[in-house]
Amino acid sequence: KNSEAAMQPRPTTIGVPAAGAGVRAEEIDSEDGEEAGVARLLGEYPREVGEAPGPSAVLAAPTPSAERRRRRRPDDAAAAASSPAPAALSETALLDAVFARLLAAAKEEHAAVARERLRDSRAKRNRRETYLVAQTRSKWRTRSRRFLQRRRDLLSTLPPAARYGAIFLQHLLEVDASDALLPEHSRRFEDSFTESVSDQFLLDATRGRYEVEGEVFHFAESAADEPESAFLERLLMALRRLVPAALLPCVSMAMSQSGLAALERASLCAAAVSGGRQDVSYALCEDPEQPGGLLVTMQVHRHGFREYVVDSMAVLVDDDDDDDGPRPCDSATSSVRKAATLCYAAAGVVDVVAFEEDTDMLEEHAVSSSRVRTSAAAEQALN
């Protein structure tokens, strides 16, 4: 689940997939009108009917300018600065963008299974049908709109890129949380727990940095003679002291690779980096504004890498630029940071209350070297 959720699917032109992969072909709602509307709104290039919109149709995250890539003219910057504030982007447009992307990924996987290019499972099939079946997709879209309504004041202060990421992550968390309430044959994931604690959390505990109510747990910095089992026991004791039993499964899941996989999938940067260092951290504390509530912050920071690869479908590139290979960058300044804060109410409701994504890469040998801030680039694309 973790590796699949973290993948950014590469959209491809497909028709209605063949039947027999878990859902009848006639049940698949192509949503051509919805996808075309999103493309027009965000300035996507013309596509054939039925082709899934790439991530660039949502919020483009441009890479540093290079000789073969489109470079920004000085007057472009002036035009962007004088354009209307992107905060006016409607909630409906953001929901269209999120669910068009989810639908495109489900269609692609459905086609791969039908062509026997991907091994299928009951959980994968149930996950696809969440988006391929129009009625089910509509139900989840309604839940996302409710999230926008109850957190409208907070979300309105975020830039469009962060609002998009928050909506996407919120949906993934809600789908995950609802899985435990389903009968086994209907579940979308194969998560397992030990005494209400995510088994993925137990596997990850010695690999990241955890902070629970100000107390730091970092196995790499613990006493040299402390075994992993003793470190894990200390961390679990702190977790159980603070987290109610009913919230322990979802909180421990969020504070693991499962939570980071959702964060990665909701983000805009489609870059895979090579080399450097990755720092993973989680923080858990009481919510000062909500009695009985908890705040969970998760963050992944990759830096010091020397090369990166970006899905060409995720950026605006020249038609004759077919180089999908690694691109060199300055390891002294390269950085990709993604973070989110989740608010858990005592009743079990989870809301994304913060979403951040910063990309800073200086490409080597570029004709006009430039650093890229993902949020700013996305806002310009929206304008």
Side-chain angles (χ1 to χ4, degrees):
K1 169 194 167 182
N2 298 329
S3 59
E4 292 170 3
M7 292 174 60
Q8 297 290 347
R10 187 185 184 97
T12 181
T13 302
I14 59 176
V16 177
V23 60
R24 297 192 306 275
E26 60 266 24
E27 287 181 315
I28 300 177
D29 182 357
S30 68
E31 294 282 340
D32 291 332
E34 177 182 281
E35 294 176 5
V38 175
R40 286 195 300 272
L41 174 69
L42 300 179
E44 173 67 342
Y45 293 123
R47 292 173 175 267
E48 297 297 328
V49 174
E51 182 176 5
S56 62
V58 180
L59 294 171
T63 57
S65 55
E67 185 173 12
R68 294 186 304 276
R69 301 180 86 84
R70 186 169 298 155
R71 291 187 295 276
R72 202 173 180 199
R73 302 186 304 273
D75 54 323
D76 291 335
S82 62
S83 58
L89 190 67
S90 71
E91 294 177 354
T92 297
L94 287 169
L95 290 172
D96 284 347
V98 168
F99 281 89
R101 179 176 165 191
L102 290 165
L103 177 60
K107 282 182 177 180
E108 183 180 23
E109 183 178 281
H110 187 93
V113 169
R115 296 166 185 164
E116 298 183 349
R117 296 179 180 176
L118 180 68
R119 181 176 297 179
D120 204 9
S121 69
R122 183 167 59 187
K124 289 180 181 178
R125 190 160 55 248
N126 293 336
R127 200 157 57 238
R128 288 195 303 273
E129 291 181 4
T130 302
Y131 309 107
L132 294 178
V133 178
Q135 184 177 1
T136 308
R137 186 173 67 252
S138 177
K139 180 192 75 171
W140 285 106
R141 183 188 172 99
T142 299
R143 290 190 61 167
S144 293
R145 189 176 290 280
R146 290 174 187 161
F147 162 67
L148 286 170
Q149 291 170 348
R150 68 175 176 266
R151 291 289 182 175
R152 181 168 290 150
D153 290 346
L154 184 147
L155 294 173
S156 64
T157 65
L158 302 179
R163 291 206 306 277
Y164 169 85
I167 295 168
F168 205 119
L169 179 58
Q170 176 73 22
H171 167 72
L172 297 179
L173 294 173
E174 289 183 346
V175 170
D176 205 359
S178 72
D179 215 46
L181 305 176
L182 298 174
E184 187 173 351
H185 68 273
S186 298
R187 291 182 181 174
R188 307 174 186 90
F189 307 108
E190 299 173 342
D191 301 318
S192 59
F193 300 84
T194 299
E195 297 181 351
S196 299
V197 176
S198 165
D199 286 338
Q200 189 63 53
F201 174 88
L202 299 176
L203 291 172
D204 295 339
T206 58
R207 305 170 187 168
R209 183 184 187 277
Y210 296 81
E211 184 175 329
V212 181
E213 281 288 57
E215 183 178 1
V216 175
F217 298 85
H218 193 193
F219 185 69
E221 299 176 354
S222 62
D225 59 347
E226 183 179 33
E228 289 189 16
S229 57
F231 171 83
L232 180 58
E233 185 62 29
R234 286 197 301 116
L235 177 56
L236 285 174
M237 287 179 61
L239 197 68
R240 293 183 185 278
R241 278 198 304 266
L242 185 62
V243 182
L247 295 180
L248 199 54
C250 55
V251 169
S252 60
M253 180 80 74
M255 298 177 69
S256 73
Q257 286 294 324
S258 297
L260 288 184
L263 176 65
E264 291 280 5
R265 190 176 181 190
S267 66
L268 296 171
C269 182
V273 304
S274 175
R277 176 174 174 175
Q278 174 175 290
D279 298 323
V280 175
S281 61
Y282 307 91
L284 171 66
C285 65
E286 293 182 342
D287 185 353
E289 299 181 359
Q290 183 178 202
L294 298 171
L295 294 177
V296 173
T297 297
M298 51 185 173
Q299 175 176 283
V300 57
H301 183 202
R302 300 179 181 90
H303 53 98
F305 49 89
R306 298 175 179 175
E307 290 182 329
Y308 69 96
V309 178
V310 175
D311 183 352
S312 62
M313 294 293 290
V315 297
L316 299 177
V317 297
D318 291 331
D319 294 338
D320 59 352
D321 185 5
D322 297 324
D323 182 10
D324 292 332
R327 293 179 174 274
C329 58
D330 181 10
S331 61
T333 60
S334 59
S335 173
V336 176
R337 187 184 71 89
K338 305 175 183 182
T341 298
L342 320 176
C343 174
Y344 287 91
V349 178
V350 58
D351 279 348
V352 178
V353 295
F355 192 97
E356 300 175 59
E357 182 179 5
D358 298 315
T359 302
D360 195 355
M361 287 181 282
L362 184 65
E363 185 170 321
E364 294 179 352
H365 312 303
V367 173
S368 177
S369 297
S370 62
R371 284 188 171 85
V372 177
R373 305 298 289 186
T374 302
S375 297
E379 290 178 24
Q380 291 161 9
L382 283 169
N383 281 332

